[in-house]
């Protein structure tokens, strides 16, 4: 028959526990904690299942998306024919030499600007107001004719003075670049036909010259 003494089953706080009592108390506490966690997990699972069922009833099933037809590929534009710059330079130099009467070695074409691309068609817009007429480029003043024993270096064609590569008193050799002209979107180097000393420079940057205009005098 079990004992009826209540003090046997009550833990007194001021009395030390024996080892079996301490182990039994720890095991009971762990069991209580595990039971509370298990109940909490069951409650969370039930709540999440109910929320999923409610969301499934509210959201209609999505309709299958229709595949869009692929857009036709635009036809490739024909490639522009390649331009042989060396052949173009040779033709231009021959034309300039034939027109001016100067030898082929007295000038050289060093740069050719590429042809501008054809602009795309644009909608018709109202005509703009006429732009003011630009002021004409300054024209080089006529220089004095060279004296006896001096060599005149003249412009092979009309154009603008782009660069002056010599100065009065400078010694030059045959073939040295004296002046660079800009004409027809090209840079044309005018070279010294003979060796000597620069006596006068009639060309100045930015001025316009005509064919056979005096550029430099070599003595």
């Amino acid at each position: 028959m079990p004992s009826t003494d209540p003090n046997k089953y009550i833990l007194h706080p001021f009395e030390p526990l024996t080892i079996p009592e301490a182990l039994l108390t720890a095991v009971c506490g762990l069991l209580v904690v595990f039971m509370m966690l298990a109940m909490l997990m069951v409650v969370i699972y039930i709540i999440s299942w109910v929320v999923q069922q409610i969301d499934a009833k509210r959201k209609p099933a999505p309709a299958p998306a229709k595949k869009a037809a692929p857009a036709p590929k635009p036809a490739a534009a024909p490639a522009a024919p390649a331009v042989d710059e060396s052949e173009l330079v040779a033709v231009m130099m021959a034309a300039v030499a034939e027109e001016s009467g100067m030898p082929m070695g007295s000038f050289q074409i060093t740069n050719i600007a590429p042809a501008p691309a054809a602009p795309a068609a644009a909608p018709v817009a109202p005509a703009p107001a006429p732009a003011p007429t630009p002021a004409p480029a300054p024209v080089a003043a006529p220089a004095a004719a060279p004296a006896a024993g001096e060599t005149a270096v003249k412009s092979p064609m009309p154009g603008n003075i782009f660069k002056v590569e010599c100065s009065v008193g400078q010694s030059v050799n045959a073939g040295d670049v004296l002046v660079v002209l800009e004409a027809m979107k090209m840079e044309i180097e005018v070279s010294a036909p003979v060796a000597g000393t620069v006596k006068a420079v009639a060309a100045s940057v930015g001025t316009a010259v005509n064919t056979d205009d005096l550029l430099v005098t070599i003595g």
Side-chain angles (χ1 to χ4, degrees):
M1 181 175 180
S3 177
T4 58
D5 186 6
N7 294 326
K8 186 178 181 181
Y9 303 103
I10 297 176
L11 296 177
H12 298 282
F14 299 105
E15 292 181 2
L17 296 176
T18 61
I19 294 177
E21 292 176 345
L23 292 176
L24 181 61
T25 303
V27 170
C28 292
L30 291 175
L31 288 175
V32 172
V33 171
F34 285 135
M35 291 179 62
M36 292 180 64
L37 290 176
M39 293 175 62
L40 181 61
M41 290 178 62
V42 171
V43 171
I44 293 175
Y45 175 78
I46 295 174
I47 293 175
S48 62
W49 181 82
V50 172
V51 171
Q52 290 179 0
Q53 295 298 323
I54 294 174
D55 290 342
K57 292 181 179 180
R58 288 181 180 180
K59 295 181 181 179
K66 296 182 179 179
K67 295 183 179 181
K73 296 182 180 180
V83 179
D84 189 354
E85 292 189 1
S86 60
E87 182 178 354
L88 179 59
V89 169
V91 172
M92 294 299 299
M93 290 182 64
V96 172
E98 182 179 357
E99 181 181 355
S100 61
M102 298 183 66
M104 290 288 291
S106 62
F107 64 92
Q108 182 179 2
I109 299 175
T110 59
N111 184 27
I112 299 178
V124 179
T133 305
V139 180
E150 295 178 345
T151 302
V153 181
K154 299 181 180 181
S155 173
M157 63 188 302
N160 296 325
I161 304 298
F162 180 69
K163 191 183 297 183
V164 178
E165 300 285 356
C166 62
S167 58
V168 177
Q170 178 181 347
S171 297
V172 295
N173 298 321
D176 289 351
V177 178
L178 302 178
V179 178
V180 179
L181 295 178
E182 182 182 8
M184 296 184 294
K185 297 183 180 180
M186 299 184 300
E187 294 178 8
I188 302 173
E189 294 180 350
V190 181
S191 306
V194 295
T197 303
V198 177
K199 297 296 183 182
V201 179
S204 58
V205 177
T207 58
V209 293
N210 296 318
T211 305
D212 293 336
D213 282 356
L214 181 63
L215 301 179
V216 179
T217 302
I218 301 176

